[in-house]
Amino acid sequence: MGSLFRSEEMSLCQLFLQSEAAYACVSELGELGVVQFRDLNPDVNAFQRKFVNEVRRCAEMERKLRFLEKEIKKDEIPTLDAGDNPDAPAPREMIDLEATFEKLENEMKEVNANAEALKRNFLELTELKHILRKTQNFFEEEEHSIVDDAQHALGVDDSRPIASQAQPLQLGFVAGVILRERIPAFERMLWRVCRGNVFLKQAEIESPLEDPVTGDQVNKSVFIIFFQGDQLKSRVKKICEGFRATLYPCPETPAERREMAIGVMTRIEDLNTVLGQTQDHRHRVLVAAAKNITVWFIKVRKIKAIYHTLNLFNLDVTSKCLIAECWAPVVELDKIQLGLRRGTERSGSSVPSVLNRMETSEEPPTYFKTNKFTSAFQAIINAYGMANYREVNPAPYAIITFPFLFSVMFGDAGHGLIMFLFGLWMVVREKQLLTVKDAGEIWDTFFGGRYIILLMGLFSIYSGLLYNDAFSKSFNIFGSSWRVTDDFPIYGPNKSTIISHIQLSPNSTAFQGDVYPFGLDPVWQLSGNKIAYTNSYKMKLSIILGVSQMLFGVILSTFNHRYFKNTLNLFCEFLPQVLFLLCMFGYLVMLVFYKWIYFSAIERNSNCAPSLLIGLINMFLFTYPKAPCSSHTFYPGQQAVQTLLVVMAVLCLPWMLLVKPFILRWQAQRKIGDRARQLSVNSGDLVIEDGDVIHHDAIVARIDKDKEEFQFGEVMIHSAIHTIEYCLGTISHTASYLRLWALSLAHAQLSEVLWTMLFRIGLSMNGYHGSIIIAGVFFAWACCTIGILLLMEGLSAFLHTLRLHWVEFQSKFYTGAGYAFQAFSFAQIMEFKTDD
């Protein structure tokens, strides 16, 4: 928790690595994942760096691996992922990996090309088989009718002399295959272009055929076209070519067609055998690759990351040493030294690597060491803005305050139990669920926040028990403090009818005077004035929680001021801010507790109890009327106390606005005056304590620089903005916490509406019909509860809690203007698949 309270202390380090040992050393640092390298060649083009060729070779190997992965997924072959994390291979092993990948890629391309050619031949033979079969049917079944139809279609005159009819009609024909959906357009085009002088006969191929290029299943039809003359033959072939129909040779005699069909069937059987052998060989190659492809990806990505990092380094003048600069946590420097030593030994270099800590005025990156529990809460804080270096981190406090404020708005023990069980299930089955990949962004979000969901559900159960609310119903665990008496408002005027809405009053004898041990008394669930009672309670509770959290945020700012040794901010910011908050709303919280303790509905008339809202308004108006009784004071001497508090709050405004700018101005003027007085009267030179001489021109330049650095106008504007923002923010943020009450009311009323509109329908029926209705209503009620109350209302409460932390709480002490520590880590690189 100590390291989570503030970011890790960082150090800028300089590394001197021998050229032959640099690869191994960077590999060791990548395994550690605690170093962020700086680019020492920002002006050098990415294509002009020393190791650009190695990066290109790695990118080419990744391309080949992605090609193999695509083929493996196409054949639905499972890849072996045993969770291995191999070390980055030595540079000389790149040649072996490249040769292996090149061989596999060429082999797969050759197998794919052969398979495509074989499938194309198989498709052609299959289409030819169907053509021979269909045309044989045409000629056998309709030999005479086809000729007669063709003669009629082609306009042959049957009234010619018998001698002329004795000569046989010479009709030509072509046969082919075309996509089934193109048949209507194909037929219309033939009719228009050939002017009705052709005869088309077509039949569908029953089974779909496989496209050899795309692998899709397509439906085709066989057609045969009769025509007369070479001119029509040329037109028909051009139309077939335009519609991408495939034409096949078809013998004229039945014997030749049967002979060709036998040959085609023999070739199809041979092709089936060859295709099976080709697919078996392809499958064996891919299965062997699937066993190693995960390890190959890890190795190649590690090599690429190492050479990409080496491109950030500088070469010394002798080109024998690489110089690097990096940010590293101070607590990890020993591990870094050990990693450099291992890398040097592994490379066989005799010259050790050197790590030097550097002094710099540059702000270091922010690094928080988190685990699987705290990482989700830290991510919520980082989404607002990365903390400044060594700034107080709100994440440790958000672990408690975030689920608690959520539960105040979501307070329902039943709904909280469902949420808790869902989070508990994800936590218990964490290892199994981590192996699930590509489950969707929504699931990844839920699983990443499993510990947040677990705590939100647990706190919601607690708040629901305080509200005595579970699925809009209350439980009488400890026994109610109310009893049915004569003046209990359950009966009508004649005491013979029962009224539907009970109006409870603690002044009646029905109240026994005992306080319900834990939470609200369940009798309020039946009361018609329940909302008025719970609204008052939850509204005051919201103000108390809001002022407490804001005050805690202001107190946390003192840790920043003390750590950065900014005493002026303690006096000019922290003190007036605390006084302003306490004088206004801290006093209001005190009045809430005072009213709860000293005013009772039993002992006094609660209608004449002083009003908190009216009292706060009168406090700033300095008016204290005697009537009505709600405007009375709470205690003797209240007028003097409140006047003092208002005066103190008003005095805090110029305190925050003016004191700091004028003190800074005085300090800047004194600094300039001290330097000016140190000038020698005779020589005009300055002799400082260590004996060095600073000439007059340099001193004048320093004084001018100090004047430029301190701009009183800018400081004054910044102070005015900060003062206005805090003062107005204190008022608006306090009102903003009323969302705790508003969302709690909305959630309770929605839950009650669902119960009333759905479940009461089944419960009001008797007999078997009621049981059937209850079963159906329960399903609808459960779906609405999960969809509306858990998901939608839960998301709404989550977003409002997020706003309360980001704006109302963190604005009091958190700047969030830093930049994140981005470590060179193989573990993080492996989490994301690169597309380069």
Side-chain angles (χ1 to χ4, degrees):
M1 187 65 73
S3 61
L4 196 62
F5 181 75
R6 293 189 190 278
S7 61
E8 295 286 347
E9 185 178 356
M10 307 296 290
S11 175
L12 182 62
C13 302
Q14 191 175 41
L15 303 179
F16 294 91
L17 309 175
Q18 292 298 311
S19 297
E20 61 272 13
Y23 181 93
C25 291
V26 173
S27 174
E28 291 292 336
L29 295 179
E31 296 292 347
L32 290 176
V34 292
V35 171
Q36 176 182 332
F37 289 101
R38 303 174 65 188
D39 189 1
L40 301 183
N41 309 299
D43 300 327
V44 180
N45 190 286
F47 299 100
Q48 297 176 345
R49 304 203 178 192
K50 180 177 176 58
F51 301 98
V52 64
N53 291 329
E54 284 78 3
V55 174
R56 286 175 175 172
R57 289 166 61 190
C58 293
E60 180 65 16
M61 286 192 289
E62 272 195 308
R63 183 194 64 78
K64 294 175 181 177
L65 286 175
R66 287 196 297 270
F67 168 73
L68 290 175
E69 186 182 31
K70 180 181 178 182
E71 296 296 322
I72 290 172
K73 290 182 178 179
K74 184 186 297 184
D75 280 18
E76 298 180 353
I77 300 174
T79 56
L80 180 62
D81 187 4
D84 297 334
N85 184 25
D87 294 334
R92 58 181 175 271
E93 295 183 27
M94 280 185 64
I95 301 175
D96 297 336
L97 290 175
E98 285 177 315
T100 302
F101 301 157
E102 183 74 20
K103 178 183 176 181
L104 285 173
E105 184 188 30
N106 292 336
E107 188 173 2
M108 285 306 305
K109 286 184 176 179
E110 183 179 356
V111 170
N112 290 343
N114 293 337
E116 184 177 343
L118 291 172
K119 288 180 179 180
R120 186 177 290 109
N121 292 337
F122 181 79
L123 176 65
E124 293 174 355
L125 290 173
T126 305
E127 291 177 347
L128 181 56
K129 179 188 72 173
H130 286 288
I131 287 175
L132 293 173
R133 183 181 300 168
K134 298 294 182 182
T135 54
Q136 183 69 15
N137 294 336
F138 291 158
F139 286 114
E140 287 181 355
E141 296 176 2
E142 305 179 17
E143 182 176 0
H144 300 289
S145 62
I146 291 178
V147 174
D148 295 340
D149 293 343
Q151 290 177 351
H152 178 72
L154 298 176
V156 179
D157 188 3
D158 293 338
S159 64
R160 292 180 302 167
I162 299 176
S164 63
Q165 292 186 21
Q167 298 178 357
L169 179 63
Q170 298 295 327
L171 292 179
F173 69 90
V174 292
V177 175
I178 190 173
L179 290 175
R180 191 177 298 173
E181 60 266 18
R182 295 180 182 174
I183 284 289
F186 180 64
E187 191 172 358
R188 285 195 302 270
M189 184 62 69
L190 280 172
W191 178 264
R192 291 173 181 173
V193 173
C194 300
R195 300 184 180 181
N197 294 321
V198 295
F199 180 77
L200 172 67
K201 192 72 175 178
Q202 60 93 15
E204 296 180 354
I205 300 175
E206 292 80 6
S207 58
L209 304 177
E210 181 182 355
D211 192 318
V213 178
T214 62
D216 298 333
Q217 299 292 322
V218 293
N219 294 312
K220 293 188 176 183
S221 295
V222 173
F223 66 88
I224 183 170
I225 305 173
F226 293 92
F227 52 84
Q228 186 179 21
D230 294 336
Q231 187 177 5
L232 284 178
K233 180 180 181 180
S234 175
R235 291 182 181 179
V236 168
K237 287 187 175 180
K238 288 182 178 179
I239 293 172
C240 292
E241 183 181 353
F243 278 87
R244 296 184 180 181
T246 307
L247 300 179
Y248 291 96
C250 182
E252 296 182 359
T253 64
E256 291 177 349
R257 286 194 293 269
R258 281 193 294 270
E259 183 180 356
M260 179 179 281
I262 294 172
V264 168
M265 293 300 296
T266 304
R267 292 177 61 187
I268 287 177
E269 292 177 359
D270 295 340
L271 269 179
N272 275 326
T273 304
V274 177
L275 269 173
Q277 294 175 352
T278 304
Q279 290 296 334
D280 291 341
H281 175 67
R282 168 189 167 89
H283 188 77
R284 286 194 301 269
V285 173
L286 291 178
V287 167
K291 295 179 180 178
N292 301 313
I293 192 168
T294 303
V295 176
W296 286 340
F297 264 119
I298 294 175
K299 288 183 177 181
V300 171
R301 285 170 181 162
K302 284 187 176 182
I303 297 173
K304 185 179 180 181
I306 290 172
Y307 281 117
H308 179 74
T309 303
L310 289 175
N311 278 332
L312 305 177
F313 296 177
N314 259 341
L315 278 172
D316 68 340
V317 291
T318 62
S319 297
K320 294 182 179 180
C321 180
L322 288 171
I323 304 173
E325 291 183 3
C326 62
W327 291 105
V330 175
V331 295
E332 305 288 352
L333 291 180
D334 292 338
K335 290 184 180 179
I336 296 173
Q337 291 277 17
L338 185 60
L340 293 176
R341 191 177 302 115
R342 285 198 304 266
T344 304
E345 293 173 356
R346 196 175 71 179
S347 64
S349 176
S350 58
V351 180
S353 301
V354 180
L355 183 145
N356 292 329
R357 295 183 63 176
M358 302 172 60
E359 297 293 335
T360 179
S361 59
E362 182 180 351
E363 183 177 359
T366 303
Y367 171 58
F368 295 104
K369 186 182 293 185
T370 58
N371 52 38
K372 61 184 179 181
F373 176 74
T374 59
S375 59
F377 294 95
Q378 188 63 56
I380 290 177
I381 303 302
N382 293 345
Y384 173 79
M386 181 58 63
N388 288 4
Y389 177 65
R390 302 294 287 171
E391 185 180 25
V392 171
N393 183 22
Y397 315 105
I399 294 175
I400 300 300
T401 59
F402 192 92
F404 177 70
L405 292 184
F406 172 87
S407 70
V408 174
M409 293 180 279
F410 193 76
D412 188 293
H415 301 156
L417 180 62
I418 297 175
M419 184 177 293
F420 172 76
L421 292 177
F422 176 61
L424 184 63
W425 173 76
M426 289 191 290
V427 170
V428 172
R429 298 184 58 86
E430 185 176 273
K431 293 183 179 179
Q432 294 89 336
L433 296 176
L434 280 173
T435 60
V436 178
K437 297 180 180 179
D438 301 328
E441 185 178 355
I442 295 178
W443 167 254
D444 293 340
T445 303
F446 277 117
F447 184 71
R450 57 193 178 278
Y451 288 100
I452 299 179
I453 295 175
L454 180 73
L455 288 181
M456 290 193 304
L458 185 63
F459 277 77
S460 295
I461 295 174
Y462 171 75
S463 296
L465 293 177
L466 280 180
Y467 298 157
N468 204 348
D469 195 356
F471 300 116
S472 77
K473 295 299 163 187
S474 298
F475 295 98
N476 190 5
I477 301 175
F478 304 103
S480 175
S481 298
W482 296 72
R483 299 291 182 269
V484 177
T485 58
D486 292 337
D487 62 343
F488 191 73
I490 193 172
Y491 299 108
N494 55 2
K495 295 187 178 183
S496 60
T497 59
I498 299 177
I499 62 176
S500 57
H501 296 287
I502 305 171
Q503 298 293 323
L504 295 181
S505 174
N507 282 326
S508 66
T509 58
F511 181 58
Q512 303 300 309
D514 299 326
V515 179
Y516 195 73
F518 185 81
L520 292 179
D521 196 301
V523 75
W524 287 103
Q525 183 68 30
L526 308 173
S527 173
N529 58 341
K530 178 186 69 172
I531 294 180
Y533 171 74
T534 55
N535 278 357
S536 175
Y537 167 70
K538 292 180 179 180
M539 196 181 303
K540 295 180 178 67
L541 185 64
S542 300
I543 296 297
I544 294 172
L545 294 177
V547 174
S548 300
Q549 189 177 32
M550 289 192 296
L551 180 62
F552 180 62
V554 176
I555 293 174
L556 285 178
S557 66
T558 60
F559 293 95
N560 286 331
H561 301 328
R562 293 179 58 187
Y563 180 83
F564 295 112
K565 299 179 180 179
N566 199 336
T567 310
L568 186 60
N569 284 350
L570 276 174
F571 177 73
C572 298
E573 290 184 6
F574 168 71
L575 286 180
Q577 287 177 359
V578 169
L579 285 176
F580 185 82
L581 180 61
L582 291 178
C583 289
M584 294 181 61
F585 298 105
Y587 176 71
L588 176 62
V589 171
M590 186 272 294
L591 289 182
V592 170
F593 282 104
Y594 185 90
K595 186 175 181 179
W596 279 347
I597 295 172
Y598 289 97
F599 287 87
S600 171
I602 299 176
E603 299 175 359
R604 305 184 185 185
N605 189 358
S606 58
N607 294 328
C608 283
S611 171
L612 292 170
L613 180 60
I614 296 177
L616 188 65
I617 295 174
N618 292 337
M619 172 180 171
F620 291 99
L621 295 179
F622 298 103
T623 57
Y624 299 92
K626 300 297 183 181
C629 57
S630 58
S631 300
H632 291 176
T633 58
F634 286 86
Y635 55 90
Q638 179 179 345
Q639 181 175 355
V641 172
Q642 292 185 167
T643 302
L644 177 63
L645 292 177
V646 172
V647 171
M648 291 176 62
V650 172
L651 290 178
C652 289
L653 299 179
W655 190 354
M656 286 186 283
L657 176 65
L658 303 174
V659 175
K660 182 178 178 180
F662 280 99
I663 292 179
L664 290 176
R665 180 184 181 185
W666 173 73
Q667 289 177 347
Q669 290 177 348
R670 188 181 64 174
K671 187 176 181 181
I672 296 173
D674 292 342
R675 287 184 177 176
R677 283 193 297 272
Q678 291 176 358
L679 290 173
S680 173
V681 177
N682 297 327
S683 63
D685 297 336
L686 173 64
V687 181
I688 57 180
E689 293 180 358
D690 56 3
D692 295 336
V693 177
I694 301 178
H695 296 285
H696 180 273
D697 294 339
I699 298 175
V700 174
R702 281 191 179 184
I703 295 174
D704 294 339
K705 183 179 179 181
D706 290 338
K707 290 181 179 179
E708 293 177 0
E709 288 179 353
F710 180 79
Q711 296 292 335
F712 179 74
E714 294 182 3
V715 175
M716 195 67 194
I717 292 174
H718 180 270
S719 179
I721 294 174
H722 185 75
T723 302
I724 295 173
E725 180 184 7
Y726 179 81
C727 295
L728 296 182
T730 300
I731 301 172
S732 63
H733 293 173
T734 304
S736 179
Y737 276 95
L738 290 175
R739 71 184 68 232
L740 297 173
W741 151 66
L743 265 76
S744 174
L745 173 65
H747 186 86
Q749 291 303 304
L750 275 175
S751 181
E752 187 171 349
V753 165
L754 279 181
W755 181 276
T756 305
M757 299 295 292
L758 293 176
F759 239 121
R760 186 172 292 181
I761 297 175
L763 295 175
S764 60
M765 295 184 178
N766 298 323
Y768 297 104
H769 300 287
S771 302
I772 297 174
I773 294 297
I774 286 179
V777 166
F778 175 79
F779 177 76
W781 174 79
C783 292
C784 292
T785 297
I786 295 175
I788 299 176
L789 295 178
L790 284 177
L791 293 179
M792 295 178 61
E793 277 288 309
L795 180 61
S796 175
F798 181 89
L799 294 177
H800 282 283
T801 309
L802 204 61
R803 184 250 155 71
L804 290 177
H805 278 77
W806 281 357
V807 180
E808 278 74 17
F809 176 54
Q810 293 176 195
S811 63
K812 303 296 184 291
F813 66 97
Y814 187 70
T815 305
Y819 64 101
F821 174 72
Q822 298 177 346
F824 171 63
S825 170
F826 287 149
Q828 294 181 4
I829 294 173
M830 293 304 113
E831 291 180 1
F832 305 99
K833 294 183 177 180
T834 57
D835 296 328
D836 301 336

